[in-house]
């Protein structure tokens, strides 16, 4: 029986499940890679790559192997391939207080997110736990509470903004941005695959070292670590 390489930790759950199901069907069908190549239009070396997780196998290859099982398993494999082939959804960024944030802020902390559509098409659609209609345009000059909920992209707060903390993976970069002149923070998220950016509205944060920026991904949350100073 072939000894398959462990799939990388970064493998998306949909693709991981597809590959595991294909490996199982090959084993239950009692076919070697050579035998599998003889029963389908794909070579032994091609199946070796597919079953080791080296890229998404073509749909026709999944269709051919699925045909060796029952109709129900065949349909399930094609459904898994369709799910694995869909691009991952872009992450909505979140700014959340933590650490030494004053007790009043923790008790009334709001989670503010950017709708996924923003990163896809540049929409100005926003969602917030407080069910606000959307981010308000920032005043020409604001500070602290007067900046709360405003869009940093249209605010003079961007002028002196700096990255307070950040975290980067192969797919996403999440940054906590802080404006000393406005005493506000917000999160920025970049999708490395598409180059799309998304931002959250601003929150008051006179102590940015006690704040973090988070991105809620499809199956995980990616957060920066609070960074004093």
């Amino acid at each position: 029986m072939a000894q398959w390489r462990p799939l990388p930790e970064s493998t998306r759950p949909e693709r991981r499940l597809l590959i595991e199901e294909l490996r199982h069907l090959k084993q239950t069908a009692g076919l070697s890679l050579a035998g599998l190549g003889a029963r389908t239009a794909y070579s032994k070396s091609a199946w070796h790559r597919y079953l080791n997780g080296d890229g998404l196998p073509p749909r026709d290859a999944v269709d051919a192997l699925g045909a060796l099982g029952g109709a129900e398993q065949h349909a399930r494999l094609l459904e898994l391939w369709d799910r694995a082939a869909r691009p991952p959804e872009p992450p909505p960024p979140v700014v959340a207080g933590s650490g030494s944030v004053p007790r009043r802020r923790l008790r009334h902390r709001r989670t503010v997110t950017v709708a996924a559509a923003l990163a896809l098409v540049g929409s100005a659609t926003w969602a917030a736990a407080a069910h606000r209609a959307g981010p308000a345009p920032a005043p020409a000059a604001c500070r602290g509470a007067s900046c709360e909920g405003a869009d940093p992209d249209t605010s003079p707060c961007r002028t002196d903004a700096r990255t307070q903390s950040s975290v980067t993976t192969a797919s996403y970069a999440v940054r906590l941005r802080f404006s000393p002149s406005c005493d506000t923070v917000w999160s920025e998220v970049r999708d490395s695959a598409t180059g799309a950016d998304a931002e959250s509205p601003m929150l008051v944060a006179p102590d940015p070292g006690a704040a973090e920026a988070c991105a809620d991904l499809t199956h995980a949350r990616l957060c920066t670590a609070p960074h004093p100073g």
Side-chain angles (χ1 to χ4, degrees):
M1 184 175 68
Q3 296 298 314
W4 307 115
R5 293 197 306 265
L7 297 175
E9 291 294 328
S10 59
T11 303
R12 290 172 52 202
E14 299 90 343
R15 185 171 297 187
R16 181 182 297 274
L17 184 57
L18 171 64
I19 294 171
E20 289 173 350
E21 292 276 351
L22 291 173
R23 290 176 176 179
H24 177 71
L25 178 54
K26 173 194 172 299
Q27 180 180 348
T28 55
L31 293 173
S32 65
L33 287 173
L36 191 56
R39 296 283 296 273
T40 68
Y42 294 86
S43 67
K44 170 184 175 181
S45 60
W47 278 114
H48 185 268
R49 292 195 307 273
Y50 302 152
L51 296 176
N52 265 315
D54 294 335
L56 181 68
R59 195 177 194 277
D60 286 348
V62 174
D63 187 24
L65 179 52
L68 301 180
E72 183 176 346
Q73 188 173 27
H74 188 189
R76 172 173 168 76
L77 284 171
L78 292 178
E79 179 184 356
L80 286 175
W81 186 94
D82 290 340
R83 289 164 52 189
R86 295 183 192 128
E89 296 180 4
V94 177
V95 171
S98 64
S100 60
V101 174
R103 189 175 299 276
R104 181 184 63 82
R105 296 277 308 149
L106 285 175
R107 189 166 58 245
H108 301 289
R109 189 174 74 185
R110 291 172 296 164
T111 298
V112 186
T113 64
V114 176
L118 177 64
L120 289 173
V121 297
S123 165
T125 303
W126 299 77
H131 303 292
R132 297 182 55 166
C142 67
R143 185 177 180 84
S146 64
C147 301
E148 181 97 9
D151 183 354
D153 192 47
T154 61
S155 169
C157 299
R158 297 186 69 90
T159 305
D160 68 340
R162 66 172 186 252
T163 298
Q164 179 71 18
S165 57
S166 63
V167 60
T168 303
T169 68
S171 301
Y172 300 104
V174 181
R175 295 181 293 273
L176 176 70
R177 300 284 284 168
F178 169 61
S179 167
S181 65
C182 296
D183 280 345
T184 56
V185 292
W186 63 92
S187 62
E188 291 182 350
V189 178
R190 170 172 283 264
D191 185 328
S192 302
T194 64
D197 292 306
E199 292 179 325
S200 72
M202 291 187 286
L203 290 179
V204 177
D207 180 10
E212 63 182 0
C214 294
D216 285 327
L217 311 179
T218 304
H219 298 284
R221 168 172 276 209
L222 186 62
C223 294
T224 66
H227 182 67

